Amino acid sequence: MPEPFVAYMRVYEPLSSFESPRYEQLSEALDQGAVEPVGVGAREQHRWLRSQLSVRPRLLPGEGVDGTAREQEEVLVLHPEDVPAEAEEPVGPGPLVCPLDLRGRAAAALVGFLGAADPPLRAAALPMPAETAKSKASAVVNELSSSAVHVISSTWTVPLPWFAVVDPEQRVVTHDERGNVERVYWRTPMSEARRRVSRAHTVTRNTLGEEGPPKILRETGRWLERFHPHSAVELDYGGLVRMMSDEDLLADSSAADVHSIVDAMELGHTTEVGERYEALRDFWADLAAHERYN
């Protein structure tokens, strides 16, 4: 089974910034071994399938048949030196941890699915009545009200406003033992991510109004504000590298193009904005179209 075609934006917070009992839970998860980011989508997919194929199917991964959280938390980990910075921006102290929050993320996704799917699809996909599933999933989402999930994801494509979070020059491309592109990602200190998002939101809102990209930037900025200021932010193409050629990945300039669009908007260069946006839209629309063929 191929890795899911999912891209991620993640926040890694200093472990020391968590309070009990969360601190102890994450420390235990770290002692058990951090999850490798390569293949994390396939790992989460496997956990979901395992929950659905058990003798008594569970609504969400990471919980028992009674609906309570059962499985141990899993984390990704970074160290401050893994995060490039434009200036002396504080990151850390290490280790920086990113809880996968799989049960909560799955619950939020299920609530969205129940609101958008047609009744026959809901009936085929759920092991219980839709209203019961919605009530249970909503309760799990409400448990997160005092915190925020550390991972947000996008299937089949990367929302263009996400590129405003990162420095285009800080892209990292890694290869597997056969020389194929294995991973594409950016990392940045939280303070720089917030500053970039704030500027991009102001510029795009003044040009486009409140909807569309400005709305995504506003929501992204609010999400980032919920974390420790000395955290790190990561944008990861995740499983999307499996549906893109190495040539396209190496030539991809999406982050630089988004920053150039914001600069052009600020200067009032409407022709450049239109040309760059159209090229980006076409590139990512071609990839997103794979969902219809799947």
Side-chain angles (χ1 to χ4, degrees):
M1 182 177 295
E3 183 176 357
F5 301 127
V6 181
Y8 305 93
M9 189 179 294
R10 307 183 179 106
V11 171
Y12 295 76
E13 289 191 276
L15 178 61
S16 58
S17 69
F18 292 90
E19 299 181 351
S20 295
R22 186 72 159 149
Y23 174 84
E24 287 77 16
Q25 294 169 348
L26 296 177
S27 295
E28 182 180 355
L30 197 58
D31 290 341
Q32 294 296 320
V35 175
E36 290 295 325
V38 175
V40 70
R43 182 187 183 95
E44 293 182 344
Q45 182 185 58
H46 174 74
R47 288 187 62 187
W48 180 84
L49 288 172
R50 190 174 62 191
S51 71
Q52 301 305 302
L53 298 176
S54 59
V55 175
R56 294 180 63 185
R58 292 163 285 169
L59 181 64
L60 300 170
E63 67 179 19
V65 294
D66 61 354
T68 59
R70 290 293 178 88
E71 294 187 19
Q72 182 182 6
E73 180 67 86
E74 295 184 322
V75 298
L76 300 170
V77 64
L78 288 180
H79 298 283
E81 57 268 26
D82 298 327
V83 185
E86 294 178 350
E88 293 300 321
E89 300 285 358
V91 175
L96 307 171
V97 296
C98 174
L100 292 182
D101 300 322
L102 182 57
R103 180 168 173 260
R105 288 165 49 215
L110 180 57
V111 171
F113 167 78
L114 291 172
D118 293 329
L121 180 58
R122 293 200 299 264
L126 296 172
M128 60 184 67
E131 287 305 315
T132 302
K134 183 177 181 180
S135 176
K136 291 179 177 291
S138 296
V140 174
V141 172
N142 290 336
E143 293 174 8
L144 302 172
S145 59
S146 60
S147 61
V149 293
H150 289 70
V151 184
I152 56 177
S153 58
S154 174
T155 55
W156 302 98
T157 187
V158 178
L160 295 181
W162 283 12
F163 289 109
V165 174
V166 300
D167 180 348
E169 300 300 321
Q170 293 173 345
R171 184 179 74 159
V172 177
V173 180
T174 64
H175 297 78
D176 60 23
E177 64 277 3
R178 293 170 294 183
N180 299 319
V181 173
E182 182 177 54
R183 192 175 177 219
V184 176
Y185 64 89
W186 293 257
R187 291 171 182 158
T188 191
M190 176 62 78
S191 56
E192 294 180 14
R194 289 175 178 173
R195 184 167 59 248
R196 294 189 191 104
V197 169
S198 177
R199 173 187 175 243
H201 175 244
T202 298
V203 171
T204 57
R205 182 190 60 199
N206 291 341
T207 304
L208 303 174
E210 295 290 348
E211 297 302 314
K215 181 179 180 180
I216 296 175
L217 287 164
R218 182 178 70 251
E219 293 172 347
T220 302
R222 289 175 177 172
W223 177 64
L224 294 176
E225 289 292 339
R226 302 187 69 179
F227 300 100
H228 193 279
H230 297 171
S231 302
V233 185
E234 179 179 75
L235 172 57
D236 189 345
Y237 274 15
L240 296 189
V241 299
R242 306 290 174 242
M243 58 186 272
M244 300 169 68
S245 69
D246 283 9
E247 292 76 14
D248 283 343
L249 286 167
L250 295 174
D252 174 41
S253 60
S254 296
D257 290 337
V258 166
H259 282 260
S260 294
I261 288 172
V262 174
D263 292 341
M265 280 185 177
E266 192 170 40
L267 295 171
H269 296 170
T270 56
T271 300
E272 180 182 355
V273 170
E275 291 174 348
R276 287 184 178 272
Y277 177 74
E278 184 176 356
L280 268 177
R281 181 194 59 193
D282 291 346
F283 175 76
W284 287 101
D286 286 344
L287 292 173
H290 286 75
E291 181 176 12
R292 296 196 299 270
Y293 310 146
N294 188 272

